[in-house]
Amino acid sequence: DVKVTQSSRYLVKRTGEKVFLECVQDMDHENMFWYRQDPGLGLRLIYFSYDVKMKEKGDIPEGYSVSREKKERFSLILESASTNQTSMYLCASSFGSEGFWDIQYFGAGTRLSVL
Amino acid sequence: GESVGLHLPTLSVQEGDNSIINCAYSNSASDYFIWYKQESGKGPQFIIDIRSNMDKRQGQRVTVLLNKTVKHLSLQIAATQPGDSAVYFCAENRGDYKLSFGAGTTVTVRA
C-alpha cells in the first residue's frame, strides 16, 4: 500500500511565525502535491513538484513556498503565518506516468490553526 | 476557469439502500475522472476512476457512470453501510498530472 505521511496532525501557531509542514511518501512517486481544504471550497492546489528540486505554483501559492530536496519528502513553508492560513493541509503523491491514470494518494492531513 | 462541481452538498441514505452521488463537470475536454472518499479525520481515499472512452466502470459495491453528452458523472454505492458515511469528491484530470476537485457531498447513513 502507498503510504503518505504528514508529520503533524494538529498544529497551533501564532501570527508571523514561520511554519513547516512535512510530508513523506514511501512509493518512489515522482509527483507530490500540497493542497488546502476549506469548507465549501473543496481541495485547492497550493504547489506541485514533479521531480527533486522542481516545483510549480498551483492555484493559490501566495504566502507559501515549498522545498523538495529528496524524492520522498515535500515540505510546505508558511514564511509568516497569517490567520487566513488556518486550514486543513493535505499532501498527496502520484506515480507520474505518461498516461492518464495518475491517481493521487493522500496523507491524513494537518489541521493548522494560526492565532 | 473550468471547475468540477457536485449537485448536492448532503445526502441522507437508509442503511441497505443504494446511494447515488452526482457530479457535473464543465470541461468537455476532460479525459479522466476519479472518485475519492474522505472519512472524518482522514485524508481522501481513492475509490474508483474512469476514462472518457468508457461509460461505466464497476468496483466492489461501487459503480461510476460517465455521461459525456451532458458532462455528468455519478457514483453509485450498492447496499449502503454505516461505514460508507463520509464526504465524497469527484475529481477531473486537468493536465500535467493535476486534478480539479469538487466541493464534496457528505453522505450520512441512517440505521
Side-chain angles (χ1 to χ4, degrees), chain B residues 33-107:
Chain B
F33 303 87
I34 303 177
W35 280 99
Y36 284 93
K37 172 186 181 183
Q38 186 175 22
E39 297 175 89
S40 180
K42 298 183 179 180
Q45 178 183 7
F46 169 81
I47 303 173
I48 193 168
D49 55 4
I50 188 167
R51 279 196 298 188
S52 58
N53 63 353
M54 305 166 72
D55 297 322
K56 179 179 179 179
R57 194 161 191 232
Q58 287 184 291
Q60 187 176 13
R61 278 201 310 119
V62 294
T63 301
V64 56
L65 299 177
L66 177 61
N67 185 331
K68 295 179 286 296
T69 303
V70 295
K71 292 183 284 187
H72 182 268
L73 191 70
S74 68
L75 177 71
Q76 300 178 2
I77 305 173
T80 310
Q81 303 169 358
D84 295 326
S85 291
V87 180
Y88 291 82
F89 297 94
C90 63
E92 65 176 320
N93 188 321
R94 56 190 264 200
D96 294 331
Y97 310 116
K98 300 193 211 54
L99 297 173
S100 291
F101 292 84
T105 291
T106 300
V107 174

Side-chain angles (χ1 to χ4, degrees), chain A residues 66-92:
Chain A
V66 290
S67 173
R68 195 166 178 201
E69 296 296 319
K70 294 184 178 181
K71 191 175 186 180
E72 68 271 18
R73 187 179 296 271
F74 192 35
S75 302
L76 179 70
I77 303 155
L78 287 66
E79 294 290 342
S80 178
S82 63
T83 55
N84 63 11
Q85 293 178 310
T86 292
S87 187
M88 170 70 86
Y89 290 87
L90 290 163
C91 174

